[in-house]
């Protein structure tokens, strides 16, 4: 039964998710679908409902650990040009959900705008970064602070524009998880390009010096517990370099797990459980994963 035939976007069958996660880990999903535009997404959601097919949404796959098992449902990827548009309206930048953050930052700086450069180096999309309220923990800067409006679609295919008063953001969390994000209006300020470019360079230099780009990862694995740093706690347990299978705790930043080549989701999950146990025993703190685990 080719229920997807009416769709205008791309449909791939039995697509391996390791091709779509920054961890380079993950088994196949039954349907990997890139709708052409909002109307196509609405049609897709109606079809999924009619045929009782569960679905998940993926952005750049930078915060996902996908299991090795086959995912029976559909994975929706908002990656067509329609979902990656950027427009400027006065001091507001409107960005599609599938737009990569680095593109958003360079588009803003090229127009003489500043405010979103603290996200430089985060390998996410606008949609994923909003749901997760991505940011810099140390400076308490997060994407949610910049957002004026978010355009969403619910899983029945209805679109809405949520203004600031309807949005709730907290550390690595938002009230947007129940929607599919279509795009956002982001408020920026005018600033000389040179000044903003210098700030971008500083952010990138800091990340390059303190984080680990030696192999595939999902960035920070655990959320920082209140008033503390997960990286520091794991480091103080002496766990840098600890490996299980082909998954290893980074030598540079203890909150990163690196796929040394051919790591399986099970290796990472065992390492996560091991870290949680060690930190609990030493500090009586329960670390919570920041990454989403797809089983
Ligand atoms: N630290 C250690 N050992 C380590 C790692 C860190 O002692 O192995 C110490 C550092 O020296 C520093 C403190 O812990 O004093 C905080 O470290 P860092 O500045 O690297 O920040 P973080 O809290 O570990 C957070 C975000 C990062 C984001 C940076 C940018 C979380 C969980 N992590 O890291 O986000 O890039 O701030 O400032 O909120 C991500 O979300 O994937 C991510 C990496």
């Amino acid at each position: 039964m080719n229920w997807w035939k009416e769709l205008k976007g791309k449909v791939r069958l039995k697509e391996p998710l390791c091709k779509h996660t920054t961890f380079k880990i993950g088994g196949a999903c039954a349907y990997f679908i890139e709708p052409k535009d909002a109307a196509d997404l609405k049609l897709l959601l109606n079809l999924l409902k009619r045929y009782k097919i569960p679905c998940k949404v993926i952005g750049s796959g930078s915060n996902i650990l996908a299991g090795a098992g086959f995912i029976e449902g559909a994975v929706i990827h908002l990656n067509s040009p329609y979902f990656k548009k950027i427009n400027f309206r006065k001091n507001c930048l409107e960005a599609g959900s599938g737009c990569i953050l680095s593109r958003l930052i360079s588009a803003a700086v090229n127009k003489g705008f500043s405010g979103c450069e603290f996200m430089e180096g985060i390998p996410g999309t606008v949609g994923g970064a909003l749901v997760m309220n991505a940011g810099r923990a140390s400076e308490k800067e997060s994407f949610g602070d910049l957002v004026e409006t978010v355009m969403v679609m619910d899983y029945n295919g209805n679109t809405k524009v949520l203004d600031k008063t309807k949005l709730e953001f907290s550390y690595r969390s938002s009230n947007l998880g129940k929607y599919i994000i279509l795009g956002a209006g982001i408020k920026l300020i005018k600033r000389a390009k040179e000044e903003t470019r210098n700030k971008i360079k500083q952010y990138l230099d800091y990340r390059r010096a303190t984080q680990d780009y030696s192999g595939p990862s999902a960035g920070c694995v655990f959320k920082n517990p209140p008033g503390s740093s997960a990286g520091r706690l794991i480091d103080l347990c002496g766990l840098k370099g600890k490996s299980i299978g082909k998954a290893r705790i980074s030598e540079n930043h203890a909150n990163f797990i690196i796929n040394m080549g051919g790591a399986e989701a099970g290796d990472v999950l065992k390492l996560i459980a091991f870290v949680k146990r060690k930190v609990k025993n030493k500090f009586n703190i329960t670390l919570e994963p920041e990454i989403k685990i797809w089983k």
Side-chain angles (χ1 to χ4, degrees):
M1 175 194 36
N2 293 352
W3 60 265
W4 61 90
K5 284 294 182 221
E6 286 172 62
L7 295 172
K8 295 195 177 73
K10 286 188 202 157
V11 180
R12 281 175 254 182
L13 306 181
K14 296 186 185 157
E15 177 72 356
L17 289 179
C18 57
K19 285 164 70 175
H20 301 281
T21 57
T22 56
F23 243 142
K24 305 281 179 240
I25 293 176
C29 62
Y31 312 99
F32 189 85
I33 304 176
E34 296 183 356
K36 185 164 178 275
D37 52 26
D40 206 31
L41 174 63
K42 182 181 169 112
L43 173 62
L44 168 62
L45 293 171
N46 287 334
L47 290 167
L48 292 172
K49 207 167 179 189
R50 192 182 314 155
Y51 291 96
K52 298 190 169 49
I53 299 169
C55 70
K56 296 176 189 294
V57 180
I58 196 168
S60 54
S62 60
N63 245 311
I64 294 170
L65 174 63
F70 187 71
I71 294 182
E72 290 291 347
V75 172
I76 302 173
H77 191 206
L78 300 184
N79 194 42
S80 68
Y82 175 91
F83 291 108
K84 293 202 235 178
K85 280 187 235 158
I86 293 180
N87 290 311
F88 289 88
R89 196 167 295 175
K90 293 192 183 148
N91 279 10
C92 200
L93 181 164
E94 292 169 349
S97 168
C99 181
I100 292 283
L101 293 176
S102 57
R103 214 184 115 231
L104 177 131
I105 295 162
S106 59
V109 64
N110 289 340
K111 286 265 184 188
F113 285 114
S114 162
C116 54
E117 53 278 2
F118 65 87
M119 295 189 289
E120 185 68 47
I122 298 177
T125 57
V126 166
L130 270 178
V131 174
M132 298 286 301
N133 193 21
R136 297 176 78 215
S138 43
E139 302 302 324
K140 297 202 167 34
E141 289 174 300
S142 66
F143 196 5
D145 304 334
L146 303 178
V147 173
E148 288 289 301
T149 53
V150 180
M151 194 197 274
V152 296
M153 188 179 281
D154 66 22
Y155 282 83
N156 292 316
N158 305 310
T159 50
K160 304 190 210 189
V161 178
L162 305 174
D163 69 22
K164 243 165 126 164
T165 61
K166 303 266 169 15
L167 302 171
E168 288 165 25
F169 292 104
S170 52
Y171 172 62
R172 291 302 192 266
S173 167
S174 75
N175 61 343
L176 292 166
K178 57 180 180 281
Y179 299 112
I180 297 180
I181 296 180
L182 303 177
I186 298 158
K187 192 144 190 233
L188 298 171
I189 49 162
K190 279 276 179 194
R191 182 168 283 150
K193 291 180 193 177
E194 251 339 278
E195 215 180 304
T196 312
R197 288 202 176 108
N198 285 338
K199 277 176 76 186
I200 291 175
K201 189 175 175 308
Q202 282 168 21
Y203 289 124
L204 263 184
D205 287 348
Y206 180 77
R207 280 184 206 273
R208 289 198 180 123
T210 57
Q211 300 187 352
D212 193 328
Y213 298 92
S214 67
S217 80
C220 286
V221 170
F222 296 98
K223 292 181 192 177
N224 284 336
S228 187
S229 153
R232 185 186 291 129
L233 297 175
I234 301 166
D235 193 357
L236 289 171
C237 289
L239 296 180
K240 280 183 168 173
K242 161 79 186 166
S243 58
I244 294 184
K246 294 285 184 189
R248 172 135 143 211
I249 298 177
S250 162
E251 303 273 3
N252 290 358
H253 195 300
N255 200 5
F256 276 55
I257 292 181
I258 306 296
N259 174 359
M260 304 298 289
E264 291 179 7
D267 298 336
V268 179
L269 288 172
K270 280 183 208 150
L271 206 44
I272 286 174
F274 181 82
V275 167
K276 282 185 76 164
R277 211 165 49 240
K278 289 284 179 187
V279 171
K280 178 77 184 170
N281 287 346
K282 193 168 170 83
F283 299 105
N284 197 25
I285 291 175
T286 304
L287 291 181
E288 296 294 340
E290 172 183 316
I291 57 173
K292 305 277 179 216
I293 296 167
W294 285 11
K295 287 194 179 141

